[in-house]
Amino acid sequence: MSLVELIAQADERGLAASGLACLDRCVPLLGGDDEILRPLWASLAESEGWGEDWGERVEQARAKLDVPGVGVGGGAGVPGGRGFAEGEASVLAHRMLGAVPVDRGAGNLREWADACSVAALQIHRLLDAASDGASSVTARREGRTQDMSPLVAAELRRQIAILEVLSAHGPAGLRQALALSTEGRRVLRAVVSRRARGRV
């Protein structure tokens, strides 16, 4: 199935984990440490009444990173001293965090997870040294993968793999989803660091 189809079929916990994983991989652009979103992962892992403290933990993460809650299309400030691509990528990452729904209803989570999927792919496209062949990430999410740039291709594979493991294993798949996301965060952190060194 395409990424769009996987998101359409995911349950509430799968949607929350999918969006959170996209956000977690982009932590290097938020100015926080690697553990900043760990409480949200823990909230998803609860077997009974999962996510009962989700909204509270979302607000705590926003407060630590000084990101107000906004709509999915809302904006956020960009830290200064970065190149254009890094600045645009940072805006997208801050929007993802600002738009996390505190209400765990399926409609809210699906809209957020879908927006996070698009934003994460766009972030990787902005930061990839190679050019991506498609005019937008929409084609990639629908399964048209010809001439993909390496960074975008890897991010697409991670998004699909996370949704597949959560669909197959439910809560038991969260550990693997987190591992995949952690790997992606390390890759993005290395890319951001390499681009910063290139401007010195």
Side-chain angles (χ1 to χ4, degrees), residues 6-78:
L6 286 167
I7 291 174
Q9 294 186 15
D11 63 14
E12 291 176 14
R13 192 188 323 235
L15 292 168
S18 174
L20 180 58
C22 288
L23 181 59
D24 201 0
R25 288 191 293 281
C26 297
V27 160
L29 296 164
L30 292 171
D33 62 55
D34 287 352
E35 300 299 312
I36 196 75
L37 300 179
R38 188 57 64 96
L40 284 167
W41 283 105
S43 182
L44 292 181
E46 297 165 0
S47 57
E48 296 295 333
W50 75 270
E52 289 182 351
D53 53 1
W54 170 265
E56 179 183 348
R57 294 183 181 188
V58 167
E59 297 297 352
Q60 289 172 353
R62 286 178 181 154
K64 289 177 181 177
L65 293 167
D66 194 27
V67 175
V70 297
V72 172
V78 184

Side-chain angles (χ1 to χ4, degrees), residues 38-162:
R38 188 57 64 96
L40 284 167
W41 283 105
S43 182
L44 292 181
E46 297 165 0
S47 57
E48 296 295 333
W50 75 270
E52 289 182 351
D53 53 1
W54 170 265
E56 179 183 348
R57 294 183 181 188
V58 167
E59 297 297 352
Q60 289 172 353
R62 286 178 181 154
K64 289 177 181 177
L65 293 167
D66 194 27
V67 175
V70 297
V72 172
V78 184
R82 300 188 181 195
F84 175 77
E86 290 86 344
E88 289 291 302
S90 178
V91 166
L92 289 171
H94 281 79
R95 283 179 181 171
M96 276 196 278
L97 178 55
V100 182
V102 294
D103 177 359
R104 293 177 294 115
N108 292 332
L109 287 170
R110 199 175 309 281
E111 181 182 12
W112 177 65
D114 195 61
C116 284
S117 168
V118 172
L121 286 166
Q122 185 63 22
I123 284 169
H124 286 74
R125 190 180 189 188
L126 283 165
L127 300 179
D128 202 338
S131 175
D132 188 70
S135 59
S136 74
V137 299
T138 301
R140 304 319 191 188
R141 298 175 72 244
E142 294 174 346
R144 298 192 294 275
T145 58
Q146 185 176 3
D147 299 324
M148 291 184 74
S149 60
L151 205 60
V152 175
E155 171 60 13
L156 181 67
R157 285 195 299 270
R158 286 189 192 94
Q159 289 192 25
I160 290 173
I162 285 170

